[in-house]
Structure formats: structure tokens, C-alpha cells
Amino acid sequence: MKSICINNNIHYVGVNDRKKHLFENNWPLPYGVSYNSYLIKDTKSALIDTIEYGSNDNYLNNIERILEGSPLDYLIVNHMEPDHSSMIECVLRRFPDVKIVGNAQTHKILKLYFNIPDSSLLVVKDGEVLDLGEHKLSFHFIPWVHWPETMVTYDQTTCTLFSCDAFGGFGTLDGSIFDDENDFEGHYKAEMLRYYSNIVGKYSNMVQKAFAKLQGVEIKMIAPSHGLVWRGNPGRVLELYSKWCNWESEKGVVIAYASMYGNTEQMADLIGAKLGAKGIPVRTHDVSKSHVSYMLADIWKTKGLILGTCAYNTQMHPMMEHLCNEIKLIAPKDKVLSVFGSSTWNGAGVKALVKYAPEMGMEITGTPLEIMGSATFDKLDKAADEFVEQFIAAL
Ligand code: FEO
């Protein structure tokens, strides 16, 4: 494997994973994912985070080759989730004298996973500095971005922020690891939003606190644990994260519907067409076909949300219930929500959606649009006009 020096003896030693289908066994990876790890070679050497166990057999050999016979002095553990930490024991076996650097909470979690002697642990405090020689590393705790122990490491010498999950994204690093040598607008931007909304978004309040903590820190490069290394324009990713963690949404509406025999689907299309005719961008998902991961990303960035369901066993459709439950978990804010649906005898689906809205931290705007039986144009047209009018007024 070719070693990539990102700056002043900081080497990228991360790997691409194109084999895994689902991140956290939940989120699709059509473009794969990278586990980024960095090796700083100085008077003292430091490895920052590891990779997921089994994702690459050459990881340790590569580190050893770059070290050219000198020891590995420190392994800095920014985050204990196993996609970054599951190689810790292997690193310790290969470099028995390495000190594992983390905060008190890191080491508490570390002991739940590995049998590592206390003599191998170095506990750091918030803001503490580790002197490697030329590079001076400071540690800044950013709890819950994305586990309680998470911290970032800042190299004061090169102004590089090793940001862990923050500013990361799905997608392998093909050809180049750098933002300025890749087409971010291609698929990386969408994959970064999907990563944010699916993995980190729930902790947006904590992301805001992390931002506040890093206020005034000069950042020339952002080296996250997944996705592109921000060398050319780190301000771009800071700007995007600032927007996403403050729930700043774009104009538009996501319509997500569950339909068994096409009536609720026809309602979705009619509502979508009426919104489109008013110049409002619409993205429509059939919840039984779109993976929830993509729906959450669209919902995160869009102001309007319209959910529709047929009645199913006196409830909403189970796939709609799955989406609602996921929305509840990631808790997006400042959405305008309305609901619609069809039934044959008692409107149970729409009733269930109305009942579930507060669970998602949302209020229903306007009057839900409901029909019984077939979704004919005559039955729907006027009512859909009113429904859309009420919705647009609240957008
Ligand atoms: Fe990439 Fe929270 O681990």
C-alpha cells in the first residue's frame, strides 16, 4: 500500500471497505466506507484511531513500514465505536510498548472490550497537550459526537483537526483522499448528509456545543475518521455541518407514503403535483421501496414533510411505522408536517399518524386529507387543493 503523507510527517494509513453492505448493520453503503487512521512520525510517534477489524490485512504492516523500525509510542483513541477501535488489541500485540491515550470515559469503555493492562493506558484531561517533538497534540472532549467518550485531537503545529466521526461521510476514498482532488458534489456531499442524518444528527445539540468549543481555533485541515480529508476547503464542511446541526432546512417537501393497492399512492402524486405547480420542489418516497436511510437524509434537509398511509390492521402501515420510529430516533426539528391517507371503513392509518406526530416532536399542520375507497380525481381534487393551500401557508 502506498503511504500518503497529508502534511509534515502526518501519514494517512486508513483503508477503504467496499465489502460491507450495511454500516452498523443498518445503513446501506452503495459507495462503501473508509476507516481513516493517521500516523504522526515525530520524535515520538502517534497513531490516531485504528480501523475496523478484518477490513484490511495490511494495516499494521503499513504502519510498521512507515515507522522504519522506530517504535510506536502512542495510540490516540478519539472514539471507542468498533469501526475505529476494534484493532486496538492487535496494535498492542504488534507494538507492546505503545501507550493508549484516551480520557477516563474512553478507558472505561476500552475495558469493556479488551483486556488491556492499566500500565498501557495514558489518561488525558480536556485540553491537555501531548508533546511529540515538533507536533503538539491537544485533546478536546466532544461527548456524544457520537458516543459519550468521544474527543477530537488537534495538532497545534499544522492546525490539523482529527475530528473523528464529526465531518465524516460514507463513501470510499477513490484515487485521492483529499477534498480538493475529488468531486464533492458528485456523490460525497449526499453521502455526507446521509451519514450526518443517520448517525450523528440525533446529537445535533452536542455538535453545536462542539462547534462552540472549537470557536477561535485555527483549522487549516480537517482529517475525519470517515470520508474525505479536508485540505482544500475545510470551511465548506464546517459550513455544511453548521447548517445541519442547527436544522436549517431547504425549501421543499418530502412526501413519504405507504400504499397497498395504489390509492394512497395516487393521493401522494396528486398532492405532489399540486405542490410542484406552485413551484415547490418535491421528493416522493414509497416507504416500502426507499430505504429509510435515504428518506431520513431527505427529511433532514427539507422543510416540509407530508406522510401518508393506508390503514393496516387498524393501524398505519408497518413500513410507515418504521419510518416514523426512525424519525422519532433522529429527532429532526423545525419541520412543517401534514398527513394523509386512505381506508375502507374507519381511517385508522391517518388516526395513527396523527397520534404519532407528537412522538416525533412535531405538530400536524392543517386538516389531514383522508378518503375512503378509491382515490378518484373527483373525490380528491378540491380537498387536495385545500390541503396543499394550508400546507404552503405554514411552509
Ligand atoms: Fe465511525 Fe461512531 O463511529
Side-chain angles (χ1 to χ4, degrees), residues 100-121:
I100 300 173
V101 181
N103 55 59
Q105 183 79 355
T106 315
H107 289 141
K108 206 168 144 189
I109 298 174
L110 188 81
K111 282 172 182 289
L112 299 175
Y113 282 87
F114 307 110
N115 187 16
I116 293 178
D118 285 348
S119 57
S120 295
L121 305 180

Side-chain angles (χ1 to χ4, degrees), residues 127-265:
E128 193 169 329
V129 175
L130 181 69
D131 192 341
L132 301 180
E134 188 185 354
H135 296 268
K136 324 277 180 211
L137 304 180
S138 57
F139 307 105
H140 306 273
F141 302 177
I142 54 162
W144 293 107
V145 187
H146 123 253
W147 277 14
E149 87 302 356
T150 311
M151 62 183 199
V152 295
T153 299
Y154 177 69
D155 177 23
Q156 299 176 349
T157 311
T158 59
C159 300
T160 302
L161 180 69
F162 299 94
S163 61
C164 199
D165 278 349
F167 312 119
F170 294 134
T172 52
L173 302 176
D174 301 340
S176 170
I177 64 169
F178 298 109
D179 65 313
D180 53 297
E181 292 175 344
N182 264 299
D183 177 14
F184 179 59
E185 299 292 330
H187 65 264
Y188 285 112
K189 185 180 172 190
E191 287 293 89
M192 179 178 270
L193 171 62
R194 200 160 63 83
Y195 180 85
Y196 184 82
S197 57
N198 296 182
I199 312 291
V200 183
K202 177 181 174 60
Y203 308 105
S204 288
N205 282 327
M206 303 312 279
V207 177
Q208 289 173 20
K209 284 187 181 162
F211 258 104
K213 198 162 190 174
L214 293 169
Q215 204 66 37
V217 175
E218 187 184 10
I219 297 174
K220 289 185 181 162
M221 189 182 295
I222 296 177
S225 293
H226 300 289
L228 296 170
V229 174
W230 290 82
R231 175 181 68 179
N233 187 6
R236 176 86 177 103
V237 69
L238 288 168
E239 183 192 318
L240 279 174
Y241 252 65
S242 166
K243 184 175 151 186
W244 293 337
C245 78
N246 285 293
W247 302 283
E248 280 176 32
S249 49
E250 295 169 10
K251 179 183 172 186
V253 177
V254 174
I255 300 175
Y257 70 88
S259 185
M260 283 192 289
Y261 299 110
N263 293 301
T264 309
E265 180 182 32

